Amino acid sequence: MFSRRWFGVGRITITLSIMFPMFRLLSPIILLVLGLAGCDSGADRMVTVEFWAMGQEGERVRMLLPEFERRHPGIRVRVQQLPWSAAHEKLLTAYVGRTMPDIFQLGNTWIPEFVALRAIEPLDERLRTGSNLALHDYFPGILATNRLNGHTYALPWYVDTRLFFYRSDLLAAAGFSTPPTGWDGWRQAMTRLKGLAGPDRYAILLPINEWQLPVILALQCGAPLLRDQDRYGDFRDPRFRAAFAFYLGLFESDLAPPVSNAQMANLYQEFANGSFALYVTGPWNIGEFGRRLPAAIQPDWNTAPLPGFGDAPPCPGQDPENGAIGVSLAGGASLALARTSPRQEAAWLLLEFLAEPAQQAHFYQLTGDLPARQTAWNDPALAGNRHAQAFRQQLQHVQATPPIPEWERIAHRIAYYAELAIRKQMSVDEALTALDRDVDQILAKRRWLLERGLIP
């Protein structure tokens, strides 16, 4: 029986060796040359970077990649688009199964969890050596969400926060030709708006299944949220209680309807109909309002930063400049490198590329996502958008939630007990006592680890 070497190159070599004995001396050289020729193909030298991105970002980022691959002809990028609803679980499953992508998008509130899992590669060394990422160009409060224990683990890709979307025509009818200053001024405006609207309409929409505004108000009051190295809940702190009571007062005064997002058939239609004049939401709604509101309403809506409390109750002294912009949440999505990736250098080149101001400005035009780099805001498409300018102001006044893996679960409990209090199923003190109890249970493992000198 002949070996498989009779086929292909092996067959030629053996046949020639039999026919010409001198060929036996040359055959290794011929095989080496042929082998090198086969290994020298472009496909063998190509590096393929696996990139996971969520929602529309996973679809639209593909439009930026031809330029990246033109600059780096030895790298190809394969994008996997994940739905936001499944992204968190998908990333955890990939981590457990050791199938993490080389580079991936994640919400910045997820970063502490993936750092705790040791799933993310720290970026500090790369940022120190030759990077042109200019960290001072990022919004400071947003960049802070990507840093833990003195290390940078991801870089902001795009940013968001929350502020007022309002009907300027309805506000003018209530006697305010310009946005009010301070929560006291906005509360007065809401009272007048409700008086003009009538019993079936309201001043502001605050979906009761959202935790963001109670937390924003608490941060504006200086509430710590957690205590003792984030080991316990601190929701009975007087500052959180004051902010929580202020939030509930908007419902008690009939300024906001006690409804969730799911109970709003079409919030854009309701906003256009004047069912409410104010809405606290994020930048994704700039595009939605532009597409969904009737043409007649387009000139009559705008955005404004959230106010601070100034000298007004419930948090006197927290903001000495009455009417100044109050803090909002530091939100958005970041890009990180997988710690176990064998292609980190190529993935880092992609991260650097996507972080360039020009690419972030282009990405804004493709998606409406606000750039994390401040110089990207000088692009005419963004600088000329009047609805985006309030976000640029607000992004200078943002604060992160506690950087712990358990925060997502804690946030859901805040929304749960806020809804019970809004519906009068619990008093303020009962809700906050129950919230502290639940959060203490959520943080039990964290306490156990810290007591043993371990990093959660």
Side-chain angles (χ1 to χ4, degrees):
M1 295 293 294
F2 293 107
S3 72
R4 295 176 63 184
R5 290 193 308 144
W6 278 92
F7 298 93
V9 175
R11 180 177 180 180
I12 295 172
T13 305
I14 291 172
T15 303
L16 290 174
S17 297
I18 293 171
M19 296 175 61
F20 305 101
M22 288 294 296
F23 188 78
R24 293 173 184 168
L25 299 175
L26 299 175
S27 61
I29 299 174
I30 294 173
L31 282 173
L32 178 61
V33 171
L34 291 172
L36 288 175
C39 293
D40 197 36
S41 67
D44 290 329
R45 295 195 309 272
M46 193 70 65
V47 175
T48 299
V49 172
E50 295 286 344
F51 178 24
W52 287 8
M54 289 64 159
Q56 69 161 347
E57 288 79 19
E59 176 186 353
R60 304 292 174 81
V61 72
R62 291 185 174 93
M63 301 177 71
L64 302 181
L65 297 180
E67 170 61 17
F68 172 77
E69 293 177 348
R70 184 193 66 77
R71 295 190 203 176
H72 304 281
I75 302 175
R76 291 292 177 267
V77 181
R78 183 159 52 217
V79 180
Q80 181 171 345
Q81 182 183 5
L82 306 179
W84 271 107
S85 58
H88 185 264
E89 182 179 355
K90 178 78 171 177
L91 284 169
L92 289 178
T93 301
Y95 167 76
V96 173
R98 299 183 179 182
T99 57
M100 289 286 285
D102 303 301
I103 178 173
F104 55 97
Q105 172 190 354
L106 72 171
N108 56 23
T109 58
W110 300 356
I111 293 173
E113 179 179 8
F114 284 86
V115 169
L117 292 172
R118 293 179 58 80
I120 301 177
E121 177 71 10
L123 302 179
D124 305 277
E125 188 61 32
R126 289 181 171 86
L127 291 169
R128 278 194 295 267
T129 56
S131 173
N132 60 355
L133 289 174
L135 293 184
H136 66 271
D137 193 29
Y138 289 87
F139 293 100
I142 301 291
L143 183 62
T145 66
N146 292 257
R147 295 181 56 82
L148 279 86
N149 304 317
H151 297 286
T152 303
Y153 286 94
L155 284 177
W157 189 16
Y158 63 85
V159 298
D160 72 49
T161 188
R162 298 203 175 206
L163 44 64
F164 281 134
F165 282 56
Y166 68 93
R167 285 280 298 271
S168 55
D169 55 338
L170 298 181
L171 204 60
F176 292 85
S177 58
T178 59
T181 57
W183 276 110
D184 187 52
W186 278 102
R187 181 68 184 262
Q188 292 178 29
M190 283 187 263
T191 301
R192 292 190 194 177
L193 285 165
K194 173 60 181 176
L196 293 174
D200 297 327
R201 297 188 175 193
Y202 298 87
I204 187 169
L205 176 65
L206 303 171
I208 60 176
N209 59 320
E210 294 184 351
W211 57 269
Q212 284 84 356
L213 188 59
V215 170
I216 288 169
L217 295 171
L219 293 175
Q220 290 192 0
C221 282
L225 306 181
L226 305 177
R227 61 183 175 86
D228 297 344
Q229 291 183 286
D230 298 333
R231 297 173 189 235
Y232 297 94
D234 201 14
F235 297 100
R236 284 172 288 181
D237 180 282
R239 291 163 291 185
F240 189 92
R241 189 190 188 285
F244 193 65
F246 179 86
Y247 170 73
L248 296 180
L250 299 175
F251 296 91
E252 292 168 356
S253 301
D254 211 26
L255 300 176
V259 298
S260 66
N261 280 315
Q263 293 173 289
M264 293 291 296
N266 187 328
L267 73 86
Y268 306 102
Q269 183 179 351
E270 298 296 331
F271 185 74
N273 291 340
S275 295
F276 56 91
L278 304 174
Y279 182 30
V280 178
T281 186
W284 57 89
N285 265 321
I286 294 177
E288 293 297 323
F289 275 46
R291 287 185 291 270
R292 295 173 181 262
L293 295 181
I297 300 296
Q298 290 298 332
D300 295 328
W301 70 275
N302 212 337
T303 56
L306 293 180
F309 283 109
D311 296 328
C315 307
Q318 291 301 320
D319 188 347
E321 185 180 349
N322 190 22
I325 296 173
V327 300
S328 190
L329 289 175
S334 301
L335 295 174
L337 305 183
R339 184 184 286 268
T340 56
S341 168
R343 293 168 289 275
Q344 285 184 0
E345 295 309 316
W348 172 248
L349 291 174
L350 176 59
L351 195 158
E352 283 190 304
F353 172 79
L354 295 175
E356 292 176 0
Q359 301 307 323
Q360 294 212 340
H362 189 186
F363 197 53
Y364 161 75
Q365 296 177 43
L366 294 173
T367 64
D369 293 335
L370 300 180
R373 297 286 295 270
Q374 296 188 61
T375 50
W377 287 69
N378 297 327
D379 184 86
L382 191 54
N385 187 330
R386 66 185 178 93
H387 300 116
Q389 297 314 304
F391 282 95
R392 189 172 192 176
Q393 294 177 280
Q394 187 69 71
L395 285 163
Q396 300 291 351
H397 304 271
V398 293
Q399 187 173 334
T401 52
I404 59 172
E406 300 87 352
W407 176 254
E408 292 286 331
R409 295 169 60 196
I410 292 171
H412 288 302
R413 302 314 290 170
I414 294 171
Y416 174 74
Y417 285 111
E419 180 173 350
L420 292 181
I422 289 167
R423 297 191 184 282
K424 302 294 186 181
Q425 297 175 16
M426 278 187 167
S427 68
V428 171
D429 291 323
E430 288 172 339
L432 297 183
T433 298
L435 178 56
D436 267 339
R437 180 197 64 220
D438 286 8
V439 171
D440 289 351
Q441 292 175 351
I442 291 171
L443 296 174
K445 182 179 179 181
R446 178 177 180 81
R447 292 194 298 276
W448 187 89
L449 291 169
L450 289 173
E451 287 164 4
R452 287 156 180 78
L454 303 172
I455 300 175

